Amino acid sequence: MNQRSIAILLVSIATLIYGVTFTIAKDVMPLYVKPFGFILIRVFGATAIFWFIGLFVKKEKIEKADYKKILLAAVFGIALNMLAFFKGLSMTTPISASVMMVTSPIMVLLFSSFILKERIVKRKIIGVVMGLLGTIILITYGNNSDDTASNSTLGNFLVFVNAASYGLYLVLVKNLISKYSPITFIKWFYLFGLILVLPFGWTEISEISWGTMPISILLKVGFVVVFTTCLTYLFNLYGLSKLKPTTVSVFIYLQPVIATIFALSVGSDTLSTTKLFATGIIFLGVYLVTKQAENSTK
């Protein structure tokens, strides 16, 4: 198997992990672990793992001015991003949450226009409008009578905030990632993130009854820390080193498909006409945005 095939395989595995995480994390929250407490566990675990790996990697000196940039990236890439996502997921359904995540490429386009001053052509504008229209429909009318969705409207909105925050993070770290090695950047990135989420998750961590928690739930918590947080980053990193960014980004569109199949198979979510309609509009909007970007690249 050549390097390209290995890269595609690893990125596919990362996408599969992301897809099933929507349901796995939903099983843990909020019954056993509240959202902010779960985030603190996730970030603490990832920080420990990446700093441990950093012991075996050549040390790099980070410029003082870049510490502020990494801190800002941690605000949007970890604190606001993860806190909004897990809180929103605890209130909505796995399928709705996975669809909202697909709006990230649209938000990247908008932030790139404002921050990096990249020009937006007419076709991209239409795509943005359609994507946001589908998002509004899902947020407003995608309520589910299922017990797993305590407040779908607010939950869907928070997942959208997460997608927007993640999109801004991708724009902010564009130069930092190319300046430092991945491990050097990510260990400081997660350390700052840990400091930021600590005040939010500390109380909820103290409320966890570890002794009465089923082994299956403990395994799911471990899955999110090791696989969703750490392995996916490393797999996507290898993929980016061997494949074009546009090739890797296409895999995000598989997440709702995987999330839907897994959620329906375990009975944690249901489909509705509103969800299907809103999903179709969002995907069409993202298609118009990314299709034009690929043509421009060519």
Side-chain angles (χ1 to χ4, degrees):
M1 185 179 291
N2 57 37
Q3 290 184 333
R4 177 180 171 80
S5 299
I6 294 175
I8 292 176
L9 175 62
L10 292 180
V11 173
S12 299
I13 293 174
T15 304
L16 178 64
I17 293 172
Y18 281 133
V20 301
T21 296
F22 290 96
T23 297
I24 290 176
K26 180 71 176 180
D27 290 341
V28 178
M29 302 179 299
L31 182 60
Y32 297 100
V33 182
K34 292 182 180 179
F36 292 169
F38 201 173
I39 289 300
L40 182 54
I41 294 172
R42 179 181 178 181
V43 176
F44 176 80
T47 303
I49 291 172
F50 283 123
W51 274 86
F52 177 74
I53 295 176
L55 296 176
F56 305 96
V57 177
K58 183 179 179 181
K59 293 184 179 180
E60 291 180 278
K61 185 177 181 180
I62 296 179
E63 296 179 11
K64 290 185 178 180
D66 287 338
Y67 280 113
K68 294 181 181 179
K69 296 178 181 178
I70 296 176
L71 175 60
L72 184 62
V75 170
F76 293 102
I78 292 182
L80 182 59
N81 171 31
M82 292 188 181
L83 291 173
F85 173 61
F86 269 40
K87 185 66 174 180
L89 181 59
S90 70
M91 302 169 73
T92 186
T93 62
I95 294 177
S96 295
S98 65
V99 171
M100 299 301 293
M101 284 299 299
V102 182
T103 60
S104 283
I106 293 177
M107 303 313 298
V108 170
L109 176 70
L110 290 175
F111 290 127
S112 295
S113 174
F114 288 118
I115 298 175
L116 303 179
K117 306 301 180 182
E118 293 184 1
R119 179 172 171 266
I120 302 182
V121 297
K122 184 178 180 180
R123 189 173 184 176
K124 290 184 179 180
I125 294 175
I126 295 175
V128 169
V129 172
M130 293 194 67
L132 295 180
L133 176 62
T135 301
I136 292 172
I137 292 174
L138 192 61
I139 291 175
T140 308
Y141 302 104
N143 292 339
N144 196 308
S145 58
D146 196 330
D147 291 337
T148 62
S150 60
N151 190 339
S152 291
T153 301
L154 179 58
N156 289 335
F157 174 73
L158 288 174
V159 176
F160 174 69
V161 170
N162 149 69
S165 177
Y166 185 71
L168 179 55
Y169 152 74
L170 290 177
V171 175
L172 292 174
V173 300
K174 185 176 182 180
N175 295 327
L176 286 173
I177 292 178
S178 60
K179 191 173 183 179
Y180 301 104
S181 70
I183 296 299
T184 298
F185 168 77
I186 203 67
K187 71 178 187 180
W188 283 103
F189 173 66
Y190 267 101
L191 180 60
F192 286 142
L194 177 62
I195 295 172
L196 291 169
V197 302
L198 187 61
F200 295 92
W202 181 255
T203 301
E204 294 186 359
I205 280 284
S206 62
E207 297 174 356
I208 299 176
S209 299
W210 294 103
T212 59
M213 188 178 294
I215 295 178
S216 61
I217 298 299
L218 287 172
L219 291 175
K220 289 176 180 179
V221 172
F223 178 91
V224 172
V225 173
V226 177
F227 289 89
T228 307
T229 309
C230 297
L231 281 188
T232 52
Y233 174 83
L234 296 176
F235 286 177
N236 280 327
L237 180 65
Y238 183 84
L240 285 169
S241 69
K242 306 299 178 183
L243 304 169
K244 293 180 179 179
T246 51
T247 302
V248 177
S249 66
V250 166
F251 283 84
I252 192 175
Y253 309 133
L254 294 176
Q255 287 187 32
V257 178
I258 296 172
T260 298
I261 294 173
F262 188 73
L264 293 177
S265 66
V266 298
S268 65
D269 202 351
T270 58
L271 281 176
S272 66
T273 304
T274 302
K275 285 182 182 179
L276 291 173
F277 179 68
T279 300
I281 294 178
I282 291 174
F283 268 78
L284 181 57
V286 173
Y287 168 78
L288 291 175
V289 170
T290 55
K291 182 66 175 178
Q292 182 62 31
E294 290 176 2
N295 289 340
S296 299
T297 301
K298 292 178 182 178

